Amino acid sequence: MAPIQPARYDDEDAPGGGGRARKAARYAVPVAVAGVAAATISLVPALADSGNPSLPSITAEQLLTKIAASDTQTVDGTVKVTTDLGLPSQLTGSAGGAMFGGEAGKVQGRGGQSPAAPQSQLVQLLAGTHTLHVAADGQDKQKISIIESAAEYSIIHNGTQLWAYDSASNQAYHQTLPQDSGKGSASTTPQDVPATPQDAARQILKAADGTASITVDGTARVAGHSAYQLLVTPQHADTTTVGAIRIAVDAKTGVPLRVTLTPKGGGKAVFDVGYTRVSFSAPSASTFTFTAPKGVKVTEGGTQHQSRPDNRDRSGTKGAEPTVLGQGWDSIAVVKSQGGPLAGGPADKGFKGRHGNGGAESLMNSFGSHVSGAFGSGTVFHTRLVNALLTDDGTLYVGAVTQSALTDAANAAAK
Amino acid sequence: MSRAEAKAGGPAVGEPEAAAGHTGGPSGTAGAGGPAAAVAVRAPRPLWTLGLFRSELVTVFRRRRTMALCAVLAGVPLLVGIAVRIETRGGGSVGGDRGNGPAFIEQVSNNGLFLTFAGLAATLPFFLPMAVGVVAGDAIAGEASGGTLRYLLVAPAGRTRLLIAKYVSVLVFCLAATLVAAVSALVVGFALFPVGDVTTLSGTTLSLPEGMLRALLIALLVAASLVGIAALGLFVSTLTDSGIGAMATTVGLLITVQIVDSFPQLHAIQPYLFTHYWLSFADLLRDPVTWTGIGKNLGLQAMYAAVFGSAAWARFTSRDITA
């Protein structure tokens, strides 16, 4: 076979003296591109919010006054909420990837409630990382959207109207609120699920009043804004599992931009809520209007008349108002069931309702540990922040305190 | 220098050395050898690349396996549409009350246009990239195993040009495959279900023309999401002389990456995986549209194209073509 010698005009195919060197040079191109690409992906987000801006020094009191005096009523931003209680993933339902884009791992409908009802949706914020879009214009108009993969859950509060739309199930929820509901609380969410840094900071500063040391601890950049860092450390509280709380406060407007809670045991933050993008200009009015689209099933939540709105009552248990032992950071909530034995306990109902299967009990036993003491025996459930003791006679002790504090409280109650 | 020099006059077709020998010895430098060769023949016509590209395109689309892959892609939305139609015949909802199953499936029975979104969401994780992996893996290695690569290189096109023509034809296949799935879903959706205004994920309503425009944009985004695996497949294809091996490796890599992407414990490496932001196309159906995920997806695909495209170039222009 005769040698085939094609004529060529491509420079890059022309011969060179050191073939091996040239070969190496060619392979250096993809390696260099890969290096630049990897560096871009990993460094750019880190650099965007790095560095400590130099701000005029300020005392903690001044900063607290600034927060209280902040009259920013309009906000439009993206919030990232990360909760890492160290719970087993079966409980939180975040296991496995939804490869086909569905919300496969989501908590199933509980107790026949509409999947679009706020109380069944906001619980998911208690585990994992979520992205939220938050818009607010005064106390009467708020919108919170939980951005999920190929799905979204929105709550729109406009005056007396509360709408919620769940795209995964294509269902809506509507509730008419009493006239004065907007006053005093600037959030439509149940108070124990803080969805924005403002909510979280408000709750923490309320709890910290007089029971914690509050200091200014440097500055930070959050979502492109220069912010002061407020460090809240619990004081006179020996049994609490709360280590420290950092609140980043916008230097210009006094709006809390980020709240991070680290446990006493160290490690990653248990709770981290912060803006990744925020603007304080008013969102367009159409943001807060909602008309149920055609073909959407709407569940009416009814009109609220009672002083304690339904959407605050997440647990869905009847009777059994919790009593609180101790005070400040060491406080323990006690829920006594009227039913007595474990099977009728309110916590058990809650768990069963929440997961809709008979395996809840075995699941509880699999991650709880058995303890006994003067109060009898019971099961302790650990998370990285909150611990809970469910005694065999059906009393539930819950608090952000150590396990021994819980058993001590149970022992004291048994006397 | 290389093996090719040892077997001078052998089957090392298209080797740089062979060209150099023609113009004055292997010691000729890049600056002297290249232009001299070009002048000796003729100036390259710009349309030449187009011709090469056209012939590559015809090669891809006339294959029977391409037809079969397109048939599968058209069949998936049909299957989904019929299943939803049967399930919701009595007025029930799909997958119980809680929105299980592929994204957008819940809205299909209300609005046939959603079958396009559901169909793309169902084919994007596996069927589409598998088809692209087969075509891309076959691009160079298939020619090599068929013994036709050397004849392609006989033509005075140069390896870089051939590689670019191959890659572009694979990209055209990405677009064509996506459009086949989308159009099939659109036709089935319009035939089986009522069609009307589109409800966004945020609960707002878009008019039907606006919804169709979004569907087109989504199809283009889905096609763009396949750019990364196309480059990966092309690179694998330059590594081996076995067409089947290259296809199997590309599809195997796809499956591996999909599995790695589904483990929450491996979140540290997931932003680097080309499948990680694929579902971001759904962000086009939010109100307001969030561009963060879409931007990340496109950026990641561009990076994969740059990294594996240049790796394929480095390999293909410096290897010995023996088949």
Side-chain angles (χ1 to χ4, degrees):
Chain A
M1 187 168 139
I4 303 167
Q5 299 181 334
R8 12 196 78 254
Y9 40 78
D10 281 359
D11 267 353
E12 70 267 26
D13 282 350
R20 190 156 298 179
R22 206 192 49 203
K23 205 165 177 174
R26 290 204 169 170
Y27 279 107
V29 175
V31 171
V33 174
V36 170
T40 315
I41 296 182
S42 55
L43 288 183
V44 166
L47 285 175
D49 270 337
S50 70
N52 301 324
S54 61
L55 295 166
S57 65
I58 189 170
T59 66
E61 281 83 42
Q62 281 171 324
L63 193 53
L64 287 173
T65 318
K66 200 179 174 82
I67 297 173
S70 167
D71 58 353
T72 305
Q73 296 278 342
T74 56
V75 71
D76 187 358
T78 308
V79 175
K80 199 169 155 196
V81 188
T82 306
T83 315
D84 182 11
L85 286 171
L87 286 170
S89 54
Q90 303 101 298
L91 262 185
T92 57
S94 60
M99 197 182 258
F100 287 90
E103 290 300 304
K106 246 192 173 169
V107 179
Q108 297 299 303
R110 43 193 88 90
Q113 223 171 39
S114 162
Q119 45 270 63
S120 57
Q121 285 282 346
L122 288 167
V123 179
Q124 63 170 301
L125 293 186
L126 294 177
T129 299
H130 298 273
T131 305
L132 282 77
H133 278 181
V134 178
D137 187 357
Q139 299 199 327
D140 287 338
K141 291 179 182 174
Q142 291 106 28
K143 178 176 179 179
I144 294 177
S145 306
I146 305 174
I147 308 292
E148 297 157 37
S149 167
E152 190 169 324
Y153 176 75
S154 314
I155 306 176
I156 300 128
H157 170 216
N158 192 347
T160 59
Q161 302 297 306
L162 179 76
W163 280 97
Y165 175 71
D166 177 36
S167 81
S169 62
N170 198 25
Q171 293 197 22
Y173 175 90
H174 176 240
Q175 199 170 33
T176 309
L177 303 171
Q179 277 298 335
D180 59 343
S181 74
K183 312 274 155 60
S185 125
S187 167
T188 54
T189 61
Q191 280 202 325
D192 44 0
V193 188
T196 63
Q198 289 105 308
D199 282 352
R202 193 179 303 118
Q203 285 177 35
I204 284 159
L205 291 177
K206 208 169 134 197
D209 192 23
T211 63
S213 84
I214 303 178
T215 51
V216 176
D217 185 47
T219 58
R221 271 192 89 75
V222 180
H225 291 247
S226 300
Y228 291 103
Q229 294 241 57
L230 205 56
L231 181 66
V232 180
T233 327
Q235 273 186 333
H236 317 298
D238 308 323
T239 62
T240 182
T241 49
V242 176
I245 301 163
R246 275 172 192 282
I247 305 174
V249 182
D250 185 23
K252 222 179 262 162
T253 58
V255 173
L257 295 177
R258 184 171 180 186
V259 174
T260 316
L261 193 157
T262 41
K264 215 173 223 169
K268 267 196 304 186
V270 165
F271 180 68
D272 185 349
V273 54
Y275 284 106
T276 53
R277 175 190 69 83
V278 67
S279 127
F280 296 113
S281 55
S284 78
S286 63
T287 309
F288 305 106
T289 56
F290 183 84
T291 334
K294 221 179 93 214
V296 170
K297 183 180 156 200
V298 179
T299 308
E300 283 295 330
T303 313
Q304 287 182 353
H305 292 298
Q306 65 271 55
S307 58
R308 189 165 180 264
D310 267 350
N311 65 352
R312 301 275 155 80
D313 189 11
R314 231 182 67 247
S315 60
T317 57
K318 294 169 202 77
E321 282 289 312
T323 52
V324 177
L325 298 178
Q327 53 179 329
W329 303 94
D330 287 339
S331 59
I332 299 168
V334 184
V335 185
K336 281 198 171 60
S337 81
Q338 64 276 58
L342 177 67
D348 194 42
K349 254 187 215 157
F351 273 112
K352 262 197 181 141
R354 214 166 277 178
H355 300 284
N357 59 42
E361 251 173 284
S362 59
L363 185 63
M364 282 172 72
N365 291 334
S366 72
F367 83 99
S369 56
H370 198 78
V371 290
S372 56
F375 61 90
S377 63
T379 316
V380 169
F381 306 103
H382 287 281
T383 70
R384 292 181 59 221
L385 184 71
V386 178
N387 288 321
L389 167 66
L390 181 66
T391 62
D392 286 349
D393 60 6
T395 310
L396 180 70
Y397 297 84
V398 187
V401 293
T402 55
Q403 178 189 334
S404 57
L406 288 176
T407 48
D408 288 350
N411 285 336
K415 271 173 203 163
Chain B
M1 192 181 257
S2 67
R3 270 191 303 143
E5 208 177 37
K7 340 172 220 165
V13 183
E15 276 300 299
E17 286 77 13
H22 195 58
T23 50
S27 59
T29 60
V39 171
V41 187
R42 60 176 172 181
R45 280 188 290 133
L47 281 179
W48 211 101
T49 316
L50 210 64
L52 182 67
F53 164 63
R54 203 184 312 142
S55 78
E56 285 306 323
L57 210 57
V58 169
T59 316
V60 166
F61 281 94
R62 267 170 67 185
R63 285 232 166 83
R64 240 181 234 165
R65 72 169 76 106
T66 311
M67 305 278 178
L69 288 169
C70 287
V72 169
L73 289 172
V76 171
L78 182 69
L79 206 66
V80 173
I82 292 174
V84 171
R85 177 78 180 157
I86 292 172
E87 183 119 339
T88 58
R89 210 169 23 188
S93 69
V94 194
D97 223 16
R98 196 54 204 88
N100 289 322
F104 306 113
I105 200 86
E106 195 70 38
Q107 277 101 325
V108 169
S109 58
N110 290 322
N111 191 340
L113 187 56
F114 270 90
L115 190 62
T116 313
F117 310 137
L120 287 176
T123 48
L124 181 56
F126 192 73
F127 292 105
L128 274 174
M130 186 190 68
V132 171
V134 166
V135 171
D138 191 52
I140 302 289
E143 301 278 6
S145 65
T148 46
L149 186 54
R150 66 170 99 173
Y151 298 111
L152 276 177
L153 292 173
V154 165
R159 294 184 182 190
T160 310
R161 244 168 235 243
L162 179 67
L163 195 69
I164 291 172
K166 287 276 184 197
Y167 188 52
V168 173
S169 60
V170 173
L171 293 186
V172 170
F173 175 76
C174 292
L175 185 63
T178 312
L179 288 180
V180 164
V183 169
S184 157
L186 195 71
V187 170
V188 173
F190 274 55
L192 291 182
F193 303 101
V195 175
D197 289 353
V198 176
T199 308
T200 63
L201 292 175
S202 313
T204 55
T205 307
L206 298 175
S207 67
L208 186 60
E210 174 89 355
M212 300 274 281
L213 184 69
R214 299 271 175 117
L216 178 68
L217 282 177
I218 281 176
L220 293 179
L221 257 184
V222 168
S225 303
L226 299 169
V227 167
I229 190 168
L232 186 63
L234 194 70
F235 171 59
V236 171
S237 190
T238 59
L239 293 179
T240 170
D241 281 346
S242 154
I244 298 289
M247 290 184 223
T249 309
T250 310
V251 176
L253 276 172
L254 165 74
I255 296 171
T256 313
V257 165
Q258 285 280 44
I259 290 172
V260 168
D261 200 21
S262 68
F263 278 104
Q265 287 77 10
L266 299 174
H267 61 89
I269 57 165
Q270 283 171 355
Y272 301 92
L273 302 178
F274 60 89
T275 62
H276 190 61
Y277 298 107
W278 271 359
L279 273 176
S280 67
F281 76 81
D283 289 352
L284 270 183
L285 282 176
R286 298 186 201 279
D287 187 27
V289 174
T290 50
W291 295 102
T292 330
I294 296 172
K296 278 182 180 167
N297 184 25
L298 293 180
L300 195 64
Q301 300 304 328
M303 281 173 188
Y304 266 83
V307 171
F308 286 101
S310 57
W313 168 80
R315 166 75 185 161
F316 190 56
T317 54
S318 61
R319 76 185 266 210
D320 298 334
I321 307 294
T322 52

